[in-house]
Amino acid sequence: MILKALFNFLIFPGFLFMVLFGLFLTWIDRKVTARIQWRKGPPIYQPYADALKLLLKETLVPNGAPKFLFLFSPLLGLVGVIIAGVILLSSQFSFTGDLIVIIYLFALPPIAIIIGGSSSKNPLSAVGASREMTLYFGYELPFLLALLVPVIKSGSIKISQILLYQENFGPILYSLSGVLAFIIALFSVQAKLGFVPFDIPEAEQEIMAGPLLEYSGVSLLFFKLMRAALLFLLPIFLIILFWGGIKTPWVILKFLFILVLLILLKNTNPRLRIDQALKFFWIILGLLGVVAVILAFNRL
Amino acid sequence: MKDLRVWGLKKSPWVFHVAAASCNNCDIEILDVLTPRFDVERFGIVLVGSPRHADALLVTGVLNRKSLPRVLRVYEQTPKPCLVIAVGTCACDCHMFKDSYNVVGPYDRHLPVDVYIPGCPPKPEAIIAGVVKALSKL
């Protein structure tokens, strides 16, 4: 029993699988980006070479930074994502918990970035951390409103009940409120991944790498792996909640569709300012979310 | 273990651009190298914004009294192993500024330089060739 749990957390569908597959997805991201810019793009082993190099490099801690917090925060983010992933991927079979656990676990990566950025003792990292905090408050409100739609429709906060509802009455996406909620959730996922219109915390041209500025070697690798695992998990999360679960083979096409949509959004948009992003999330998407929730109450 | 480290470094050299008092000509040529036309991401080369992430430092410009401590500091901030690539004639041997009162000499007097890429400025092709030589030397 313990062995099985360990296997689940460390190998499949836990750490090893999620990280290796997530790195492959970052290769897809880079390759599609390259093709959009009429380039050839990196070879398929590129993300693995990056990971291996970071693993074997020196890890530096800035002078005067709190060592424990600085090195602990990347681990916190990665572990949060892995636990969320194990719960989500086994939700089809055994897990009977509810959505709130997942929401809290998905809050861990931004918290890790905020702690890491603030403990870096670098002014640019501090600016990045404060932007990450603002952005998190921005996208979390419409994201929660969007998640309310499947909850209202299925009448339960349990993931297994939501999946059961979709098996009986068809995916939640195929309704008016479902479409609205899906679009809102898609934008929030874009911001959760730190992709371009919302990469404000890491804005390369202004504050270099933001909260990740002082990280090197293994600690930087952990943040990269966290991002890679999120790139795998968040589309899966959307499919489970809105598009009928991950049991059928169609899930591969659905997954690729969401992934390529995210990458296209990333490559065709300029970065927003932090106040513009906040207005976009709270006013436009927030109002849309309220409309979606009202529609869901009226069974539309 | 050492082979793995060398392979990783060879296949994904992230570069940080240290512009130490250059006339910006070499800097512009370096930016040219990173455009989609030359597509150095094929070889895993990515421009990063922080020396903490870097595996190779591209140093340009003639080293003077003001810029020397900054360049040394950036070198210390870079996690090892890292390469130092001197781009442009100024960085290699101070060019026509070698007798100036403010110049403290070429980079290899203060840092372990791995590759010299001469030219005023060097062509993007020359920069790519230099980086490839540096990587095959590892």
Side-chain angles (χ1 to χ4, degrees):
Chain A
M1 194 61 203
I2 293 171
L3 267 183
K4 191 169 176 294
L6 268 184
F7 179 79
N8 274 350
F9 275 104
L10 290 180
I11 298 174
F12 186 87
F15 176 71
L16 207 63
F17 169 74
M18 253 187 274
V19 156
L20 290 181
F21 198 68
L23 284 176
F24 172 70
L25 295 177
T26 61
W27 175 74
I28 292 185
D29 169 26
R30 286 170 76 169
K31 188 78 178 173
V32 171
T33 306
R35 291 312 295 160
I36 289 171
Q37 297 170 352
W38 290 92
R39 292 189 282 128
K40 201 158 164 276
I44 191 164
Y45 57 75
Q46 189 58 52
Y48 304 106
D50 289 349
L52 186 72
K53 180 203 69 183
L54 286 175
L55 188 68
L56 296 176
K57 259 186 98 100
E58 200 181 5
T59 305
L60 299 171
V61 179
N63 201 3
K67 210 168 183 180
F68 175 73
L69 274 183
F70 184 77
L71 294 177
F72 170 71
S73 58
L75 198 65
L76 176 76
L78 185 62
V79 168
V81 176
I82 299 298
I83 294 175
V86 173
I87 289 174
L88 266 183
L89 292 180
S90 57
S91 65
Q92 293 277 12
F93 315 107
S94 58
F95 180 69
T96 49
D98 49 40
L99 212 50
I100 293 176
V101 183
I102 304 283
I103 292 170
Y104 274 117
L105 285 172
F106 274 144
L108 279 181
I111 289 175
I113 290 179
I114 291 166
I115 296 177
S118 327
S119 63
S120 290
K121 234 201 160 195
N122 184 314
L124 295 180
S125 297
V127 171
S130 87
R131 286 186 187 185
E132 175 80 35
M133 211 181 304
T134 319
L135 189 66
Y136 177 71
F137 285 128
Y139 65 67
E140 202 62 6
L141 174 74
F143 191 60
L144 290 181
L145 283 174
L147 296 193
L148 267 181
V149 169
V151 171
I152 292 167
K153 288 211 147 197
S154 63
S156 164
I157 205 161
K158 288 200 160 78
I159 296 176
S160 49
Q161 290 294 318
I162 294 173
L163 283 167
L164 200 66
Y165 172 86
Q166 295 192 69
E167 263 170 35
N168 292 335
F169 302 100
I172 286 164
L173 182 62
Y174 304 154
S175 64
L176 197 56
S177 60
V179 170
L180 277 181
F182 185 77
I183 292 171
I184 296 163
L186 201 68
F187 277 112
S188 306
V189 162
Q190 185 90 357
K192 268 182 192 290
L193 287 170
F195 274 4
V196 159
F198 312 114
D199 70 331
I200 312 158
E202 280 172 43
E204 279 170 18
Q205 293 85 355
E206 306 165 20
I207 51 173
M208 303 316 185
L212 309 187
L213 191 66
E214 290 287 343
Y215 280 95
S216 60
V218 181
S219 51
L220 180 64
L221 174 69
F222 276 11
F223 273 127
K224 298 263 172 205
L225 293 182
M226 182 187 92
R227 282 276 157 79
L230 272 181
L231 187 59
F232 167 60
L233 267 188
L234 287 171
I236 289 278
F237 184 57
L238 289 188
I239 293 173
I240 285 179
L241 279 191
F242 293 104
W243 216 342
I246 48 174
K247 260 182 188 166
T248 52
W250 286 104
V251 70
I252 300 171
L253 280 182
K254 292 171 184 172
F255 185 85
L256 280 179
F257 174 75
I258 294 178
L259 187 69
V260 172
L261 206 61
L262 291 174
I263 297 171
L264 285 180
L265 263 179
K266 173 187 169 186
N267 277 300
T268 46
N269 286 290
R271 181 173 54 243
L272 297 174
R273 272 200 326 265
I274 184 72
D275 58 319
Q276 288 170 332
L278 203 62
K279 263 180 205 150
F280 175 72
F281 277 119
W282 275 12
I283 295 178
I284 300 179
L285 289 190
L287 283 180
L288 263 185
V290 172
V291 170
V293 168
I294 293 169
L295 285 177
F297 267 122
N298 292 314
R299 308 244 150 248
L300 275 167
Chain B
M1 189 72 176
K2 191 157 180 294
D3 288 350
L4 276 180
R5 174 178 282 191
V6 168
W7 184 81
L9 207 58
K10 249 184 195 175
K11 290 300 177 189
S12 90
W14 293 356
V15 297
F16 178 69
H17 180 187
V18 188
S22 74
C23 66
N24 282 143
N25 233 334
C26 297
D27 303 338
I28 288 167
E29 290 303 315
I30 285 173
L31 291 182
D32 275 356
V33 175
L34 298 162
T35 52
R37 185 184 174 89
F38 293 98
D39 187 21
V40 284
E41 207 188 359
R42 280 176 298 168
F43 313 117
I45 300 175
V46 179
L47 184 74
V48 291
S50 160
R52 299 274 193 215
H53 304 182
D55 307 298
L57 298 176
L58 292 176
V59 290
T60 59
V62 55
L63 202 58
N64 54 41
R65 282 177 213 286
K66 281 276 184 198
S67 61
L68 174 65
R70 273 95 183 167
V71 170
L72 287 181
R73 182 124 188 247
V74 168
Y75 180 73
E76 281 159 10
Q77 283 177 337
T78 313
K80 311 293 175 297
C82 84
L83 298 169
V84 179
I85 300 166
V87 179
T89 312
C90 289
C92 295
D93 66 353
C94 293
H95 203 15
M96 62 186 181
F97 305 105
K98 68 181 188 313
D99 295 325
S100 171
Y101 66 97
N102 195 25
V103 167
V104 290
Y107 283 84
D108 52 7
R109 205 175 285 168
H110 306 279
L111 292 177
V113 176
D114 294 276
V115 202
Y116 303 88
I117 304 170
C120 187
K123 279 189 153 191
E125 290 90 341
I127 297 178
I128 295 175
V131 173
V132 167
K133 267 184 193 146
L135 295 177
S136 54
K137 197 189 80 172
L138 282 173

